[in-house]
Amino acid sequence: VQLQASGGGLVQAGGSLRLSCAASGSIFSIVTTGWYRQAPGKQRELVARQTDGGNTNYADSVKGRFTISRDNAKKMVYLQMNSLKPEDTAVYYCNADIRRDSGTNTFRYWGQGTQVTVSS
C-alpha cells in the first residue's frame, strides 16, 4: 500500500490550495484518513481527520478554513485549504488506516509529504 500526496506549493496569504492523497495497492477499505503537518523546528501536528462514517475533527487553528474529504471509489483523500496564513506553512502529510482484507485489522500508512508555503 502506498499513499502519494500532491498539491502543495507557494501561495500568498488569503489564497487557497487543495491537497490530494492517492492510495494504491492492496486495499480492501479505507477506515480513518487524516492530514498532519510539520513546520520547521516543530512537532508534527494533526490538522484534520475523517472517519469512514464521515465524522470529522480539525485542529482549532484551521477550523472554518480547511475541509477534509474523501472519494472512496477513487481511493482519494483531499484537504481544501482556504484563507491560508503564513503560519500554515509546513510540510503536509496524509495518512490512512486501511484494511487489506475483510478482517478487522487495520494498518496505518503515511504519504511522503508535500510542502505548503504561504507568503505574507
Side-chain angles (χ1 to χ4, degrees), residues 32-87:
T32 303
T33 60
W35 288 94
Y36 288 71
R37 67 186 180 188
Q38 187 167 19
K42 294 188 177 182
Q43 289 188 332
R44 189 175 298 189
E45 62 174 358
L46 174 69
V47 175
R49 182 187 289 128
Q50 185 175 39
T51 68
D52 54 353
N55 293 323
T56 58
N57 64 285
Y58 297 91
D60 288 343
S61 58
V62 307
K63 281 181 182 177
R65 300 188 298 123
F66 290 12
T67 303
I68 187 172
S69 62
R70 59 198 287 176
D71 185 327
N72 288 326
K74 294 182 179 179
K75 296 184 178 62
M76 294 290 296
V77 184
Y78 305 101
L79 184 68
Q80 178 66 43
M81 306 186 295
N82 299 327
S83 303
L84 282 161
K85 304 176 181 180
E87 51 264 43

Side-chain angles (χ1 to χ4, degrees), residues 21-36:
C21 180
S24 62
S26 180
I27 297 171
F28 179 79
S29 65
I30 299 175
V31 183
T32 303
T33 60
W35 288 94
Y36 288 71

